[in-house]
Amino acid sequence: ILILSSSGAGKTALQDVTLSLCPPEELVKVTSLSGKALFYRDPSSLKHKALAIEEEAGAEDADYALRSLITSKQLSIEAVVKDLSTGRLVTMRNVVQGRTAVFLTTTNPYVNPETRSRFVVLSVDESREQTRAILEHQRRRQTAAGFERDLAVDEVQRRHRNFQRLLRP
């Protein structure tokens, strides 16, 4: 999922509320991502997980890794490392298993087309009516009825998370 909207429109809020239905142990959330970081993760650390990146700008260097993870459903890298027991240089191979759901937010309408083509692109309603509705909702949340509603939301989240825990790959 790629959420594309202007700054302050609620992209992160949309991503966060969606991911709040995901069991925390199945969610990998990062603010920034270097180009090779995903390649060196533990082999099963992204398998059947949701990977959420708060802002596309924080993952520009990881563009290729994200595309590969989505398309190939795995990442593999070979790198030269020093064998601590012999002191010799050896080739190390790491394969990170995928089937990873990737969530990304951005204000940039010119996201690399190779990357964008791998996502379902969503936007946020930025109309005056929607802004009014959000402000009214925020005011209601500060009332006793709003507190009760938040408890009901917590129950819905708990049920979604528990249901997902029952699913098998």
Side-chain angles (χ1 to χ4, degrees):
I1 301 290
L2 174 66
I3 304 170
L4 169 65
S5 287
S6 63
S7 183
K11 297 176 300 299
T12 302
L14 175 59
Q15 178 171 281
D16 288 347
V17 76
T18 303
L19 293 172
S20 72
L21 300 173
C22 182
E25 66 273 14
E26 303 301 330
L27 178 60
V28 178
K29 203 169 179 188
V30 297
T31 305
S32 183
L33 193 59
S34 69
K36 299 284 186 195
L38 295 177
F39 286 97
Y40 290 102
R41 291 188 62 94
D42 287 333
S44 61
S45 65
L46 295 176
K47 187 174 184 177
H48 304 293
K49 305 283 189 211
L51 172 62
I53 303 157
E54 197 165 304
E55 184 66 43
E56 182 256 349
E60 285 176 340
D61 293 340
D63 213 23
Y64 174 73
L66 290 171
R67 287 195 309 263
S68 296
L69 180 62
I70 292 166
T71 302
S72 302
K73 296 166 186 59
Q74 74 171 19
L75 295 171
S76 64
I77 191 168
E78 289 192 359
V80 176
V81 296
K82 189 177 219 176
D83 183 329
L84 297 177
S85 61
T86 65
R88 294 186 54 194
L89 296 177
V90 295
T91 301
M92 179 269 319
R93 178 173 173 80
N94 194 45
V95 177
V96 179
Q97 299 166 357
R99 294 268 185 206
T100 306
V102 180
F103 289 76
L104 189 61
T105 67
T106 187
T107 58
N108 179 9
Y110 305 107
V111 173
N112 180 329
E114 288 288 320
T115 301
R116 189 177 176 140
S117 69
R118 287 165 172 83
F119 284 87
V120 173
V121 180
L122 304 177
S123 63
V124 176
D125 182 351
E126 299 181 52
S127 68
R128 285 180 188 255
E129 295 79 25
Q130 182 65 17
T131 301
R132 278 191 208 105
I134 290 168
L135 293 172
E136 179 58 32
H137 173 75
Q138 290 172 339
R139 282 190 288 276
R140 274 195 313 266
R141 284 189 70 193
Q142 302 305 312
T143 65
F147 179 72
E148 287 178 19
R149 185 192 163 284
D150 286 349
L151 293 176
V153 167
D154 291 345
E155 177 60 20
V156 169
Q157 290 173 340
R158 186 185 68 75
R159 285 183 186 213
H160 269 271
R161 292 171 181 166
N162 287 339
F163 175 77
Q164 289 179 56
R165 288 178 179 117
L166 296 173
L167 298 175
R168 297 286 171 245

